[in-house]
Amino acid sequence: MSNQEVAILNVGGSKFTTWASTLRRFPESRLARMLNGNDHEFRLVNGQFFVDRDGTLFNYILDFLRTLQLSLPTDFSDYQRLQREADFYELHSLADLLSQENLLKPRPEILEVRFLLQETQAFFRVFGSCSNTIEVLAGRVTMFTEQSLRQNWNNNPFPSQKLLTPLPLERPSHHDLVFQCGTDYSAGDQLVARYVSIKPDHRKLINGTNVLGLLVDTLLREGFHLVSTRTVSTEEKVECYSFERMKRPETLFLTANQSPESPGGAQMKLTPMHKQK
């Protein structure tokens, strides 16, 4: 069978269709030998290669052959069974990846929101154990400013969007994000108003309590759970909201330093995987 032909497999009653070249991704594997007619455990029945193995787990094996990535559901737990299937098909690179089970298991991700309300201003500091999450959140939060004289503000307390200027967020570290909203007076008796917007919501909010509510809703939609609330400073009344979610932080995949066909096999590398909402 040439690489340009379509191969149909029946694995434990589940049918799979793919290119022959995909099954030959690792020439030393049993799947590659199957196409060459050199493995008699795979029987050709009505134009389909039949093998009496777990069809559900073969989904992950075929996905690995197509992408050279090992991406598993968050609640996946059959690591040993999947490794056994990889050994059966003699996909040694996949079996080696599965042996690093501790890297594949979901881990708790912690995120903390500190909220301080002072008269007409509200201050936020978000700390996350995963810097990628903070980076994504920073791309969704926008702070705007609008300056006007006291008299103008009293006449028009709701300025149009055209007068709002985006402000850069403070990033004390890769794990921190700082922003604020509300009003205060600057030198020259100018009233400075700061608004906050959090995508995909397009509203520009000035009230700190409203911004806090929108931030909490955003985190809940991203899979976080509120685990505790407390006051960390009795004098300033800084409120602290702690969130947690289970997250698979990394996907394992094979790099091209050595091709899978080379005698030494492909080298492994870790890379972050970003889920798109």
Side-chain angles (χ1 to χ4, degrees), residues 40-83:
H40 300 293
E41 191 160 349
F42 297 84
R43 298 186 178 182
L44 191 60
V45 180
N46 297 326
Q48 302 178 12
F49 293 98
F50 176 79
V51 59
D52 191 17
R53 303 296 295 188
D54 191 309
T56 300
L57 293 177
F58 190 76
N59 274 296
Y60 304 117
I61 290 175
L62 185 57
D63 181 68
F64 173 78
L65 292 175
R66 287 168 172 163
T67 65
L68 289 183
Q69 295 185 8
L70 181 57
S71 178
L72 301 173
T74 303
D75 57 353
F76 186 84
S77 59
D78 290 333
Y79 296 97
Q80 291 183 349
R81 291 182 58 212
L82 184 55
Q83 184 175 359

Side-chain angles (χ1 to χ4, degrees), residues 143-199:
M143 188 166 60
F144 300 87
T145 184
E146 192 265 348
Q147 294 185 358
S148 62
L149 296 176
R150 183 193 297 264
Q151 181 179 2
N152 292 339
W153 175 266
N154 292 333
N155 293 336
N156 180 20
F158 302 102
S160 65
Q161 293 184 358
K162 295 181 180 179
L163 301 177
L164 300 181
T165 304
L167 283 177
L169 304 178
E170 293 184 41
R171 296 294 306 276
S173 73
H174 294 298
H175 292 269
D176 288 84
L177 174 64
V178 177
F179 56 93
Q180 67 182 93
C181 64
T183 61
D184 69 323
Y185 287 97
S186 64
D189 203 27
Q190 281 192 324
L191 189 66
V192 179
R194 294 180 179 87
Y195 299 78
V196 169
S197 175
I198 304 178
K199 299 176 182 177

Side-chain angles (χ1 to χ4, degrees), residues 1 7-12 14 16 23 26-55 58 61-62 65 84-91:
M1 178 178 289
I8 302 177
L9 292 84
N10 186 328
V11 183
S14 299
F16 299 89
L23 300 177
F26 295 87
E28 301 302 320
S29 71
R30 297 187 70 178
L31 291 171
R33 298 202 302 270
M34 170 195 74
L35 297 179
N36 300 330
N38 298 329
D39 196 316
H40 300 293
E41 191 160 349
F42 297 84
R43 298 186 178 182
L44 191 60
V45 180
N46 297 326
Q48 302 178 12
F49 293 98
F50 176 79
V51 59
D52 191 17
R53 303 296 295 188
D54 191 309
F58 190 76
I61 290 175
L62 185 57
L65 292 175
R84 186 171 62 215
E85 294 300 296
D87 287 331
F88 170 80
Y89 294 108
E90 296 184 11
L91 293 168

Side-chain angles (χ1 to χ4, degrees), residues 121-136:
Q121 298 183 82
F123 301 87
F124 297 83
R125 182 162 190 161
V126 184
F127 170 83
S129 60
C130 177
S131 60
N132 288 332
T133 298
I134 297 298
E135 191 69 31
V136 171

